[in-house]
């Protein structure tokens, strides 16, 4: 009997969706390695996200983000928490192969701002006094891209544990066992 199953999970969604917290918990439960894309970029380059955005600029950051993610997504048994902009590039989620489960952690603008709070240091697209309307505008402009993920999980009002166990249930169901022809 051969087993065709998910070998990696990539978490996408807006800032404050809980990608890092859920990703870490999910990886621990699966016994897989966890990578946070922003963290990888910062530790490899020695440059903070805020510095990337100011010089060399957001386009250079996006290129680095694309290349580091591509490298990490060639590994097996990993959970990758992406930054909120990674999935918004055209074709990015639709190009993932069947062994990669993409999960959109959905959060509304109010909850995103509440969760991020004043912790905007490494989020140059947010500011301490960012209003709900501005956050909602950015989120809405990205919704169609996030919606291309294979799975959508509403995180509003849910704990990291709730969201993680929901994804684990789906993963258990997605293990398809097939007899060789
Ligand atoms: C960004 C989200 C951030 C970080 C950068 C840009 C975005 O990551 O990659 O500030 O474009 O939404 P988080 O989603 O982990 O906050």
């Amino acid at each position: 009997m051969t087993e065709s199953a998910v070998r990696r999970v990539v978490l996408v969604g807006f800032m404050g969706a809980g990608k890092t917290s859920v990703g870490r918990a999910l990886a621990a439960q699966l016994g897989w390695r966890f990578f946070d894309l922003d963290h990888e970029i910062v530790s490899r380059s020695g440059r903070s996200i805020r510095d990337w955005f100011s010089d060399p600029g957001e386009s250079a950051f996006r290129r680095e983000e694309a290349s580091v993610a591509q490298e990490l997504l060639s590994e097996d048994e990993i959970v990758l928490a992406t930054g909120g902009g990674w999935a918004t590039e055209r074709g990015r989620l639709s190009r993932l192969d069947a062994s990669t489960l993409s999960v959109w952690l959905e959060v509304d603008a109010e909850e995103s701002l509440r969760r991020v709070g004043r912790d905007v240091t490494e989020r140059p697209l947010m500011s301490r006094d960012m209003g709900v309307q501005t956050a909602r505008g950015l989120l809405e402009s990205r919704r169609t891209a996030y919606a291309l993920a294979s799975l959508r999980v509403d995180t509003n009002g849910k704990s990291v544990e709730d969201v993680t166990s929901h994804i684990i249930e789906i993963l258990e169901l997605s293990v398809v066992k097939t007899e060789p022809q």
Side-chain angles (χ1 to χ4, degrees):
M1 182 173 281
T2 57
E3 200 172 86
S4 124
V6 170
R7 295 203 299 271
R8 61 197 78 75
V9 176
V10 55
L11 301 175
V12 305
F14 202 56
M15 293 171 274
K19 302 178 295 287
T20 303
S21 312
V22 170
R24 193 172 284 123
L26 188 60
Q29 284 203 37
L30 292 168
W32 289 6
R33 284 171 303 153
F34 170 68
F35 294 97
D36 176 84
L37 188 50
D38 281 347
H39 180 83
E40 281 298 306
I41 294 167
V42 171
S43 68
R44 289 172 185 213
S45 63
R47 189 186 275 153
S48 70
I49 303 291
R50 191 159 283 278
D51 285 349
W52 270 98
F53 271 67
S54 56
D55 178 22
E58 182 173 352
S59 308
F61 171 76
R62 297 299 176 196
R63 283 194 296 276
E64 182 69 5
E65 187 179 43
S67 119
V68 175
Q70 191 177 8
E71 183 194 317
L72 293 172
L73 287 172
S74 67
E75 305 274 334
D76 279 351
E77 303 200 336
I78 62 143
V79 177
L80 175 64
T82 62
W86 178 80
T88 64
E89 177 91 352
R90 186 185 285 271
R92 192 144 281 163
L93 290 179
S94 46
R95 276 198 295 268
L96 295 175
D97 68 22
S99 60
T100 306
L101 180 74
S102 54
V103 183
W104 173 19
L105 298 185
E106 201 177 3
V107 65
D108 63 31
E110 290 82 355
E111 177 112 2
S112 156
L113 289 173
R114 247 193 319 275
R115 288 185 192 164
V116 170
R118 295 177 66 80
D119 185 17
V120 293
T121 321
E122 281 294 72
R123 293 186 172 99
L125 298 181
M126 275 195 167
S127 61
R128 287 207 168 87
D129 53 1
M130 189 176 196
V132 168
Q133 292 299 344
T134 314
R136 197 175 287 143
L138 183 57
L139 174 56
E140 287 310 317
S141 71
R142 293 174 163 191
R143 188 171 288 279
T144 323
Y146 293 151
L148 292 173
S150 327
L151 179 67
R152 166 181 176 164
V153 182
D154 182 2
T155 72
N156 292 292
K158 307 229 172 72
S159 66
V160 169
E161 293 71 31
D162 289 344
V163 175
T164 307
S165 41
H166 182 66
I167 301 171
I168 295 275
E169 277 168 30
I170 304 284
L171 277 171
E172 281 166 359
L173 292 172
S174 76
V175 178
V176 184
K177 292 189 165 75
T178 49
E179 296 293 340
Q181 299 300 303

